[in-house]
Amino acid sequence: MKRGKKYVEAAKLVDTAKVYDAVEACELVCKTSVTKFDASVDVAFRLNIDPRKADQNLRGAIVLPNGTGKSRKILVVARGAKAQEAKDAGADYVGDTELLAKINQGWFDFDIIVATPDMMGELGRLGRVLGPKGLMPNPKTGTVTMNIAQAVKEIKNGKVEYRPDKVGNIQMTIGKVSFGAEKLAENLKTVYDVLLRTRPSTVKGTYMKNVSIASTMGPGVKVDSESIAKVGK
């Protein structure tokens, strides 16, 4: 794959044989960002898990202390008082059957769906269109709940979902280059702590094989996982 001149120059600043301290890695990612816009910063954890096993198919959600820097459109499927609660909390779209009909017709002008449990029966009928897009609400990620206001506020404040791909990698956005190294490192540590706490008991040997971060279109930087635990100490 041919790389642009800016990328090639930025890549020279990264020692691919080195595993960097967490804060140093975040500083380097900011320094090697090659875009004119405020690039996102993503982390990838390569875990020693087998997602085909139910107890190792990690899935959940994390509220990042410094948010993600991204604005997400929230659709809440609820009725009555819960619908009003969603509106008061700042949801972008609120409704029930009429919104489900729009989705069925191909409308997807939203990033995430939150629903009350009583609406899941109707939402389930849209599984064939919502499932492949990763939009089906799930209790594990807090998107099926009666506490609608809290769910909406958490998402607006930087809540991110995580789940492994088929080979056990978990990837997510942890902020923007403009956050700076300190805030990015804080968000990185939050994700690390959650993944460490949810380590399946059936996993033997090394759990986190490697961790790397990169800005949009920028070079990857390997991170020493043990150094992440020391961030802020």
Side-chain angles (χ1 to χ4, degrees):
M1 180 178 177
K2 190 175 180 179
R3 299 286 191 177
K5 184 178 178 181
K6 287 185 177 180
Y7 178 94
V8 172
E9 290 301 311
K12 291 178 181 178
L13 300 175
V14 181
D15 182 349
T16 56
K18 180 178 178 180
V19 179
Y20 290 85
D21 170 83
V23 176
E24 186 182 4
C26 290
E27 289 173 346
L28 194 52
V29 162
C30 294
K31 190 176 181 179
T32 55
S33 176
V34 297
T35 62
K36 291 182 179 179
F37 56 86
D38 188 10
S40 294
V41 176
D42 298 326
V43 62
F45 288 86
R46 185 176 170 222
L47 304 178
N48 179 26
I49 59 173
D50 183 352
R52 293 171 299 179
K53 297 178 179 178
D55 67 314
Q56 295 187 23
N57 189 12
L58 306 179
R59 185 171 185 181
I62 305 166
V63 179
L64 300 179
N66 301 301
T68 63
K70 292 182 177 181
S71 177
R72 303 175 78 193
K73 289 185 180 179
I74 304 171
L75 183 155
V76 173
V77 182
R79 293 190 174 111
K82 289 299 171 181
Q84 187 59 49
E85 184 180 320
K87 292 175 183 176
D88 293 343
D92 298 277
Y93 304 105
V94 182
D96 46 75
T97 52
E98 76 283 2
L99 286 183
L100 299 184
K102 283 182 68 175
I103 293 171
N104 199 34
Q105 292 166 9
W107 175 72
F108 292 100
D109 187 26
F110 53 88
D111 301 301
I112 189 167
I113 301 177
V114 176
T116 50
D118 60 296
M119 295 302 302
M120 288 307 295
E122 293 182 49
L123 261 170
R125 297 177 195 139
L126 297 178
R128 59 186 174 78
V129 293
L130 295 176
K133 293 180 180 290
L135 290 170
M136 182 62 77
N138 189 302
K140 289 184 179 180
T141 60
T143 47
V144 178
T145 178
M146 288 300 288
N147 197 339
I148 293 295
Q150 181 181 334
V152 171
K153 289 174 182 175
E154 285 182 346
I155 294 167
K156 290 289 185 182
N157 289 333
K159 186 176 186 177
V160 291
E161 295 181 11
Y162 65 88
R163 65 187 304 177
D165 61 20
K166 60 183 180 180
V167 293
N169 298 317
I170 287 183
Q171 303 178 56
M172 68 182 75
T173 297
I174 57 169
K176 297 277 192 178
V177 167
S178 61
F179 281 21
E182 187 176 331
K183 288 185 177 180
L184 287 171
E186 288 174 356
N187 281 355
L188 176 60
K189 184 179 187 302
T190 298
V191 177
Y192 170 86
D193 288 345
V194 170
L195 294 182
L196 208 59
R197 285 200 304 271
T198 55
R199 171 178 175 153
S201 59
T202 52
V203 170
K204 306 301 179 185
T206 302
Y207 174 47
M208 291 190 182
K209 292 184 175 181
N210 60 55
V211 184
S212 63
I213 57 175
S215 63
T216 305
M217 297 168 62
V221 179
K222 295 176 184 176
V223 188
D224 174 20
S225 59
E226 291 185 4
S227 74
I228 301 173
K230 299 175 184 176
V231 169
K233 294 182 180 179

